[in-house]
Amino acid sequence: MTGPAPVSLLDFEARAKSLLTPEVWDFIAGGSGFEITMRANRQALDSVSVYPRMLGGALSGTETNLLGTPMSMPIAVAPMAYQRLVHPAGEVAMAEAACQAGIPLMLSALSSCPVEEVARTGAKIWFQLYWMREWLALEQLIERVEAAGSTALVVTLDVPIMGRRLRDVRNQFALPAEVVAANLTNGRAGTAHRARAGESAIAAHTLELIGSGPTWSDLEQLRSRTSLPLVVKGILDPRDAARAVGIGADAVVVSNHGGRQLDGAPASVTALAAVVAEVGQQCQVLLDSGIRSGMDVLRALALGASGVLVGRPLLWALAVGGAAGAAQALSLLSTEFRESLILAGCPDLAAVRDLRTDQGVAR
Ligand code: FNR
């Protein structure tokens, strides 16, 4: 990496933008509609104040365990499609960085690298599923990712269709021929490689692959099919969280998909406390959408989350420096998180739950 060392995740953003084509940049950076929900994610996080405690003692560590996976800090890589768009080594490089940082990686159903190659890095993989059009195809995919060593399954619920991402529609965004959904198409290119006017080819392709999304009874069927921990991602309403837990979900991810689905949905962090109040005693509650610093991780935990997922910043870092870039971003995040814990007077992660925020105390 050239130039001065990044001092915050945002430093990777400007560099990535200058390196990527405008179409790929827009695909990553964009949200749906007028990007109101995407902006709300940041505004809401910025407005959460945390009251620091004094004289809490030295920080003992940030290690935790989510879904049976020991991890160095309560952070996982969010599932993000087609990472070879930003770096030739794609998800393999991202997994190397996650492994080095001691955190798990949610691998997208639309990964551009085969799950077996990603697993070879030694990273802990939580595989993210979209609902396939046919149960048989889904069964085969689950068998494949279980055999590859995935230690959890994540089902993303908030994509019955792909949100209308105006930047991609304007750009008629289509994948380059060398980037494919490596675990779904056996390397065959789909319609993601052909764009029509007024259409995002990537949205059309996603629909072709995943149909219209699961039903609650599909989720029940999946729960009975696998003994792996099951995570549902894309929850904003506590009633859906309760229903998922009733089916046997081990964790829910409070997420609006980084503002890429329903434009007009609340910021994830705004929805967090009610979900924690509803299901926090029964399952782990994770949060994503807008996390950009260690302080944001502290905010989420103070509001009751057990951990967070980080999305776009890790794609920026991957674009800038491959595995080393993503590892650098994770190391920066770890430093920031530790510093935030110390400044907030927390000797360990349990103490974060006792912090007062302007929304009260989580427990
Ligand atoms: C995503 N996201 C996503 N989610 C998912 O469940 N499956 C997927 O394949 C993808 N693909 C994807 C691609 C890109 C380019 C982005 C930016 C995002 C959503 C992702 O997992 C996560 O919810 C958000 O990215 C979190 O918001 P931030 O951290 O990017 O603000």
Side-chain angles (χ1 to χ4, degrees):
M1 218 179 312
T2 52
V7 298
S8 100
L9 296 190
L10 300 187
D11 288 348
F12 289 98
E13 182 176 21
R15 289 197 205 177
K17 187 171 184 184
S18 71
L19 290 170
L20 297 170
T21 64
E23 293 77 17
V24 169
W25 173 255
D26 277 345
F27 170 63
I28 294 167
S32 54
F34 299 125
E35 302 186 340
I36 288 162
T37 294
M38 185 172 86
R39 281 193 297 278
N41 285 329
R42 276 305 324 153
Q43 287 160 359
L45 274 162
D46 281 342
S47 71
V48 175
S49 306
V50 175
Y51 292 68
R53 302 301 304 274
M54 298 300 128
L55 312 180
L59 176 63
S60 60
T62 60
E63 294 79 12
T64 188
N65 186 308
L66 297 179
L67 301 163
T69 305
M71 44 212 277
S72 65
M73 53 184 173
I75 297 173
V77 181
M80 288 174 289
Y82 304 122
Q83 295 179 18
R84 293 189 62 238
L85 278 172
V86 306
H87 190 276
E91 289 82 358
V92 167
M94 189 70 95
E96 284 168 2
C99 190
Q100 193 180 324
I103 64 166
L105 162 111
M106 284 190 181
L107 186 65
S108 168
L110 302 175
S111 166
S112 52
C113 295
V115 58
E116 296 80 7
E117 280 178 31
V118 179
R120 234 171 272 139
T121 62
K124 289 273 185 292
I125 296 175
W126 297 344
F127 194 86
Q128 177 258 320
L129 299 166
Y130 279 126
W131 213 255
M132 309 293 290
R133 276 187 182 277
E134 289 158 24
W135 175 253
L136 183 64
L138 187 69
E139 276 264 287
Q140 286 170 347
L141 181 61
I142 293 171
E143 263 168 41
R144 181 174 172 182
V145 304
E146 284 177 343
S150 176
T151 59
L153 291 179
V154 182
V155 187
T156 296
L157 303 185
D158 59 7
V159 187
I161 56 170
M162 214 157 151
R164 232 171 114 69
R165 322 241 169 98
L166 301 186
R167 302 192 203 201
D168 296 344
V169 175
R170 258 186 219 112
N171 295 334
Q172 294 177 40
F173 182 62
L175 292 176
E178 71 279 8
V179 179
V180 296
N183 298 294
L184 303 187
T185 54
N186 294 323
R188 273 183 296 110
T191 51
H193 304 272
R194 294 190 301 275
R196 285 198 296 262
E199 183 186 276
S200 150
I202 211 157
H205 179 61
T206 305
L207 256 189
E208 189 181 293
L209 289 173
I210 68 176
S212 57
T215 62
W216 288 107
S217 67
D218 288 332
L219 264 192
E220 276 174 37
Q221 196 180 358
L222 175 64
R223 176 65 291 180
S224 62
R225 159 65 185 76
T226 182
S227 54
L228 290 179
L230 185 65
V231 184
V232 296
K233 174 172 179 283
I235 296 287
L236 292 167
D237 190 309
R239 291 169 296 183
D240 288 336
R243 193 146 183 198
V245 170
I247 284 172
D250 300 284
V252 299
V253 184
V254 176
S255 168
N256 57 36
H257 217 101
R260 293 162 77 86
Q261 288 301 105
L262 179 68
D263 191 34
S268 298
V269 77
T270 305
L272 177 61
V275 173
V276 170
E278 183 74 27
V279 299
Q281 300 294 327
Q282 294 135 277
C283 77
Q284 291 176 332
V285 179
L286 311 182
L287 173 111
D288 78 15
S289 300
I291 299 289
R292 299 292 177 265
S293 70
M295 181 59 207
D296 288 339
V297 183
L298 184 77
R299 288 179 164 116
L301 267 56
L303 292 170
S306 302
V308 302
L309 314 181
V310 179
R312 293 179 183 88
L314 297 176
L315 282 184
W316 305 332
L318 182 68
V320 170
Q328 196 177 4
L330 287 170
S331 159
L332 199 49
L333 203 50
S334 165
T335 303
E336 288 176 350
F337 181 50
R338 295 179 74 87
E339 287 174 357
S340 299
L341 284 167
I342 295 167
L343 290 170
C346 296
D348 52 30
L349 294 187
V352 181
R353 283 287 186 106
D354 272 335
L355 289 175
R356 176 169 295 281
T357 69
D358 40 14
Q359 297 183 25
V361 179
R363 74 165 162 209

